[in-house]
Short mmCIF file of all heavy atoms in Angstrom, two decimals:
data_model
loop_
_atom_site.label_atom_id
_atom_site.label_comp_id
_atom_site.label_asym_id
_atom_site.label_seq_id
_atom_site.Cartn_x
_atom_site.Cartn_y
_atom_site.Cartn_z
N ALA U 1534 18.57 -1.46 23.33
CA ALA U 1534 19.15 -2.08 24.54
C ALA U 1534 18.95 -3.59 24.53
O ALA U 1534 19.87 -4.35 24.86
CB ALA U 1534 18.52 -1.46 25.79
N MET U 1535 17.75 -4.03 24.15
CA MET U 1535 17.49 -5.46 24.12
C MET U 1535 18.30 -6.16 23.04
O MET U 1535 18.80 -7.28 23.23
CB MET U 1535 15.99 -5.72 23.94
CG MET U 1535 15.16 -5.35 25.17
SD MET U 1535 13.39 -5.74 24.99
CE MET U 1535 13.45 -7.54 24.94
N ALA U 1536 18.45 -5.51 21.87
CA ALA U 1536 19.25 -6.10 20.80
C ALA U 1536 20.70 -6.28 21.23
O ALA U 1536 21.33 -7.30 20.95
CB ALA U 1536 19.17 -5.22 19.55
N MET U 1537 21.23 -5.30 21.95
CA MET U 1537 22.61 -5.40 22.39
C MET U 1537 22.78 -6.35 23.56
O MET U 1537 23.87 -6.92 23.76
CB MET U 1537 23.15 -4.00 22.74
CG MET U 1537 23.40 -3.13 21.53
SD MET U 1537 24.45 -3.97 20.29
CE MET U 1537 25.96 -4.21 21.24
N GLN U 1538 21.74 -6.59 24.32
CA GLN U 1538 21.80 -7.66 25.32
C GLN U 1538 21.96 -9.02 24.64
O GLN U 1538 22.72 -9.88 25.11
CB GLN U 1538 20.53 -7.63 26.18
CG GLN U 1538 20.46 -6.47 27.16
CD GLN U 1538 19.10 -6.34 27.84
OE1 GLN U 1538 18.25 -7.22 27.71
NE2 GLN U 1538 18.89 -5.26 28.55
N VAL U 1539 21.23 -9.18 23.53
CA VAL U 1539 21.39 -10.40 22.75
C VAL U 1539 22.81 -10.50 22.20
O VAL U 1539 23.45 -11.56 22.25
CB VAL U 1539 20.36 -10.45 21.60
CG1 VAL U 1539 20.60 -11.67 20.72
CG2 VAL U 1539 18.94 -10.48 22.15
N ALA U 1540 23.34 -9.38 21.68
CA ALA U 1540 24.70 -9.38 21.15
C ALA U 1540 25.72 -9.73 22.23
O ALA U 1540 26.68 -10.48 21.98
CB ALA U 1540 25.02 -8.01 20.55
N ASP U 1541 25.50 -9.22 23.42
CA ASP U 1541 26.38 -9.57 24.54
C ASP U 1541 26.41 -11.08 24.76
O ASP U 1541 27.47 -11.69 24.90
CB ASP U 1541 25.89 -8.89 25.82
CG ASP U 1541 26.19 -7.40 25.87
OD1 ASP U 1541 27.05 -6.93 25.10
OD2 ASP U 1541 25.53 -6.70 26.67
N ASP U 1542 25.22 -11.65 24.80
CA ASP U 1542 25.13 -13.08 25.07
C ASP U 1542 25.77 -13.92 23.97
O ASP U 1542 26.37 -14.97 24.24
CB ASP U 1542 23.66 -13.48 25.26
CG ASP U 1542 23.11 -13.09 26.62
OD1 ASP U 1542 23.92 -12.88 27.53
OD2 ASP U 1542 21.88 -13.00 26.76
N VAL U 1543 25.61 -13.48 22.74
CA VAL U 1543 26.16 -14.23 21.60
C VAL U 1543 27.68 -14.08 21.53
O VAL U 1543 28.42 -15.08 21.41
CB VAL U 1543 25.51 -13.78 20.29
CG1 VAL U 1543 26.21 -14.41 19.10
CG2 VAL U 1543 24.02 -14.14 20.28
N LEU U 1544 28.17 -12.85 21.62
CA LEU U 1544 29.59 -12.59 21.43
C LEU U 1544 30.43 -12.93 22.66
O LEU U 1544 31.59 -13.35 22.53
CB LEU U 1544 29.82 -11.12 21.07
CG LEU U 1544 29.21 -10.66 19.73
CD1 LEU U 1544 29.40 -9.16 19.56
CD2 LEU U 1544 29.81 -11.43 18.56
N LEU U 1545 29.85 -12.76 23.83
CA LEU U 1545 30.61 -12.97 25.06
C LEU U 1545 30.31 -14.28 25.76
O LEU U 1545 31.19 -14.85 26.42
CB LEU U 1545 30.35 -11.81 26.03
CG LEU U 1545 30.79 -10.42 25.56
CD1 LEU U 1545 30.32 -9.36 26.56
CD2 LEU U 1545 32.31 -10.35 25.39
N ASN U 1546 29.08 -14.76 25.62
CA ASN U 1546 28.66 -15.93 26.40
C ASN U 1546 28.37 -17.17 25.55
O ASN U 1546 27.94 -18.19 26.08
CB ASN U 1546 27.44 -15.58 27.25
CG ASN U 1546 27.72 -14.42 28.19
OD1 ASN U 1546 28.81 -14.31 28.74
ND2 ASN U 1546 26.75 -13.52 28.35
N GLY U 1547 28.57 -17.05 24.25
CA GLY U 1547 28.46 -18.23 23.41
C GLY U 1547 27.06 -18.69 23.09
O GLY U 1547 26.86 -19.81 22.62
N LYS U 1548 26.05 -17.85 23.32
CA LYS U 1548 24.69 -18.26 23.00
C LYS U 1548 24.47 -18.26 21.49
O LYS U 1548 25.16 -17.57 20.74
CB LYS U 1548 23.68 -17.33 23.68
CG LYS U 1548 23.58 -17.55 25.18
CD LYS U 1548 22.37 -16.85 25.78
CE LYS U 1548 22.22 -17.19 27.26
NZ LYS U 1548 21.01 -16.57 27.86
N THR U 1549 23.49 -19.04 21.06
CA THR U 1549 23.19 -19.18 19.64
C THR U 1549 21.71 -18.98 19.40
O THR U 1549 20.93 -18.74 20.34
CB THR U 1549 23.59 -20.58 19.13
OG1 THR U 1549 22.70 -21.56 19.72
CG2 THR U 1549 25.03 -20.91 19.51
N ALA U 1550 21.30 -19.12 18.14
CA ALA U 1550 19.88 -18.96 17.80
C ALA U 1550 19.01 -19.95 18.55
O ALA U 1550 17.83 -19.68 18.81
CB ALA U 1550 19.70 -19.13 16.29
N ASP U 1551 19.57 -21.09 18.91
CA ASP U 1551 18.81 -22.10 19.64
C ASP U 1551 18.36 -21.61 21.01
O ASP U 1551 17.44 -22.18 21.61
CB ASP U 1551 19.63 -23.38 19.81
CG ASP U 1551 19.90 -24.09 18.49
OD1 ASP U 1551 19.12 -23.86 17.54
OD2 ASP U 1551 20.88 -24.85 18.41
N ASP U 1552 19.00 -20.58 21.51
CA ASP U 1552 18.67 -20.05 22.83
C ASP U 1552 17.58 -18.98 22.79
O ASP U 1552 17.20 -18.44 23.84
CB ASP U 1552 19.92 -19.46 23.50
CG ASP U 1552 20.99 -20.50 23.74
OD1 ASP U 1552 20.69 -21.49 24.44
OD2 ASP U 1552 22.12 -20.33 23.22
N TYR U 1553 17.07 -18.67 21.59
CA TYR U 1553 16.10 -17.59 21.45
C TYR U 1553 14.90 -18.02 20.64
O TYR U 1553 14.98 -18.89 19.77
CB TYR U 1553 16.74 -16.37 20.76
CG TYR U 1553 17.84 -15.73 21.57
CD1 TYR U 1553 19.17 -16.13 21.40
CD2 TYR U 1553 17.55 -14.75 22.52
CE1 TYR U 1553 20.18 -15.56 22.16
CE2 TYR U 1553 18.56 -14.18 23.28
CZ TYR U 1553 19.87 -14.58 23.09
OH TYR U 1553 20.87 -14.02 23.85
N GLU U 1554 13.77 -17.38 20.92
CA GLU U 1554 12.59 -17.51 20.07
C GLU U 1554 12.85 -16.73 18.78
O GLU U 1554 13.76 -15.91 18.70
CB GLU U 1554 11.35 -16.94 20.78
CG GLU U 1554 11.00 -17.62 22.10
CD GLU U 1554 10.52 -19.05 21.90
OE1 GLU U 1554 10.01 -19.36 20.80
OE2 GLU U 1554 10.67 -19.86 22.84
N ASP U 1555 12.03 -16.99 17.77
CA ASP U 1555 12.18 -16.23 16.52
C ASP U 1555 12.04 -14.74 16.76
O ASP U 1555 12.72 -13.92 16.14
CB ASP U 1555 11.12 -16.67 15.50
CG ASP U 1555 11.37 -18.07 14.99
OD1 ASP U 1555 12.54 -18.52 14.99
OD2 ASP U 1555 10.40 -18.74 14.59
N ILE U 1556 11.12 -14.37 17.67
CA ILE U 1556 10.86 -12.96 17.99
C ILE U 1556 11.12 -12.72 19.47
O ILE U 1556 10.64 -13.47 20.32
CB ILE U 1556 9.41 -12.57 17.67
CG1 ILE U 1556 9.04 -12.94 16.23
CG2 ILE U 1556 9.19 -11.07 17.90
CD1 ILE U 1556 9.78 -12.17 15.18
N THR U 1557 11.88 -11.68 19.77
CA THR U 1557 12.09 -11.25 21.15
C THR U 1557 11.40 -9.90 21.30
O THR U 1557 11.81 -8.92 20.67
CB THR U 1557 13.59 -11.12 21.46
OG1 THR U 1557 14.22 -12.40 21.26
CG2 THR U 1557 13.82 -10.66 22.90
N ARG U 1558 10.37 -9.85 22.10
CA ARG U 1558 9.51 -8.67 22.13
C ARG U 1558 9.73 -7.81 23.38
O ARG U 1558 9.98 -8.32 24.47
CB ARG U 1558 8.04 -9.09 22.06
CG ARG U 1558 7.71 -9.92 20.82
CD ARG U 1558 6.21 -10.18 20.72
NE ARG U 1558 5.91 -11.10 19.63
CZ ARG U 1558 5.76 -10.75 18.36
NH1 ARG U 1558 5.89 -9.48 18.03
NH2 ARG U 1558 5.49 -11.65 17.44
N THR U 1559 9.56 -6.49 23.19
CA THR U 1559 9.58 -5.56 24.31
C THR U 1559 8.21 -5.59 24.98
O THR U 1559 7.22 -6.01 24.38
CB THR U 1559 9.90 -4.13 23.85
OG1 THR U 1559 8.84 -3.66 23.00
CG2 THR U 1559 11.21 -4.09 23.08
N PRO U 1560 8.11 -5.14 26.24
CA PRO U 1560 6.82 -5.16 26.94
C PRO U 1560 5.80 -4.24 26.27
O PRO U 1560 6.15 -3.13 25.85
CB PRO U 1560 7.15 -4.67 28.34
CG PRO U 1560 8.62 -4.87 28.49
CD PRO U 1560 9.20 -4.69 27.13
N PRO U 1561 4.54 -4.66 26.14
CA PRO U 1561 3.51 -3.80 25.54
C PRO U 1561 3.13 -2.63 26.45
O PRO U 1561 3.18 -2.75 27.66
CB PRO U 1561 2.32 -4.75 25.34
CG PRO U 1561 2.51 -5.80 26.39
CD PRO U 1561 4.00 -5.97 26.53
N LEU U 1562 2.74 -1.53 25.82
CA LEU U 1562 2.33 -0.34 26.57
C LEU U 1562 1.47 0.55 25.69
O LEU U 1562 1.81 0.80 24.53
CB LEU U 1562 3.56 0.44 27.04
CG LEU U 1562 3.32 1.81 27.71
CD1 LEU U 1562 2.54 1.65 29.01
CD2 LEU U 1562 4.66 2.50 27.97
N CYS U 1563 0.36 1.01 26.20
CA CYS U 1563 -0.54 1.93 25.50
C CYS U 1563 -0.52 3.28 26.19
O CYS U 1563 -0.72 3.37 27.40
CB CYS U 1563 -1.96 1.37 25.50
SG CYS U 1563 -3.21 2.48 24.77
N TYR U 1564 -0.25 4.35 25.41
CA TYR U 1564 -0.26 5.71 25.94
C TYR U 1564 -1.65 6.31 25.75
O TYR U 1564 -2.19 6.34 24.64
CB TYR U 1564 0.75 6.59 25.22
CG TYR U 1564 2.18 6.14 25.35
CD1 TYR U 1564 2.79 5.43 24.32
CD2 TYR U 1564 2.92 6.43 26.50
CE1 TYR U 1564 4.12 5.01 24.44
CE2 TYR U 1564 4.24 6.01 26.62
CZ TYR U 1564 4.83 5.30 25.58
OH TYR U 1564 6.13 4.88 25.69
N THR U 1565 -2.24 6.79 26.85
CA THR U 1565 -3.56 7.41 26.82
C THR U 1565 -3.52 8.69 27.65
O THR U 1565 -2.49 9.04 28.23
CB THR U 1565 -4.62 6.47 27.41
OG1 THR U 1565 -4.40 6.33 28.84
CG2 THR U 1565 -4.56 5.08 26.75
N ILE U 1566 -4.65 9.37 27.74
CA ILE U 1566 -4.73 10.59 28.53
C ILE U 1566 -4.37 10.32 29.99
O ILE U 1566 -3.86 11.19 30.69
CB ILE U 1566 -6.16 11.22 28.43
CG1 ILE U 1566 -6.21 12.58 29.14
CG2 ILE U 1566 -7.20 10.28 28.99
CD1 ILE U 1566 -5.38 13.65 28.49
N GLU U 1567 -4.56 9.08 30.43
CA GLU U 1567 -4.28 8.74 31.82
C GLU U 1567 -2.80 8.69 32.15
O GLU U 1567 -2.41 8.89 33.30
CB GLU U 1567 -4.94 7.41 32.19
CG GLU U 1567 -6.45 7.46 32.36
CD GLU U 1567 -7.20 7.41 31.04
OE1 GLU U 1567 -6.55 7.10 30.00
OE2 GLU U 1567 -8.41 7.69 31.02
N ASN U 1568 -1.94 8.39 31.19
CA ASN U 1568 -0.52 8.23 31.52
C ASN U 1568 0.43 9.05 30.64
O ASN U 1568 1.64 9.05 30.88
CB ASN U 1568 -0.12 6.75 31.45
CG ASN U 1568 -0.25 6.17 30.04
OD1 ASN U 1568 -0.44 6.88 29.06
ND2 ASN U 1568 -0.14 4.85 29.95
N ALA U 1569 -0.07 9.74 29.62
CA ALA U 1569 0.79 10.40 28.65
C ALA U 1569 1.70 11.46 29.29
O ALA U 1569 2.88 11.58 28.93
CB ALA U 1569 -0.05 11.03 27.54
N LYS U 1570 1.18 12.21 30.25
CA LYS U 1570 1.99 13.25 30.88
C LYS U 1570 3.16 12.64 31.64
O LYS U 1570 4.23 13.27 31.77
CB LYS U 1570 1.13 14.09 31.81
CG LYS U 1570 0.15 15.01 31.08
CD LYS U 1570 -0.64 15.87 32.04
CE LYS U 1570 -1.61 16.78 31.27
NZ LYS U 1570 -2.42 17.63 32.18
N ASP U 1571 3.00 11.43 32.14
CA ASP U 1571 4.08 10.78 32.86
C ASP U 1571 5.23 10.38 31.95
O ASP U 1571 6.37 10.28 32.39
CB ASP U 1571 3.55 9.53 33.58
CG ASP U 1571 2.51 9.86 34.64
OD1 ASP U 1571 2.60 10.97 35.21
OD2 ASP U 1571 1.64 9.02 34.89
#
Side-chain angles (χ1 to χ4, degrees):
M1535 290 183 67
M1537 288 308 298
Q1538 287 171 9
V1539 176
D1541 286 342
D1542 283 340
V1543 172
L1544 296 175
L1545 297 173
N1546 302 322
K1548 288 193 175 183
T1549 69
D1551 293 338
D1552 297 302
Y1553 295 91
E1554 300 292 335
D1555 291 334
I1556 307 293
T1557 301
R1558 303 186 187 276
T1559 65
L1562 173 64
C1563 175
Y1564 299 100
T1565 69
I1566 186 66
E1567 286 81 12
N1568 64 11
K1570 289 183 180 179
D1571 297 331

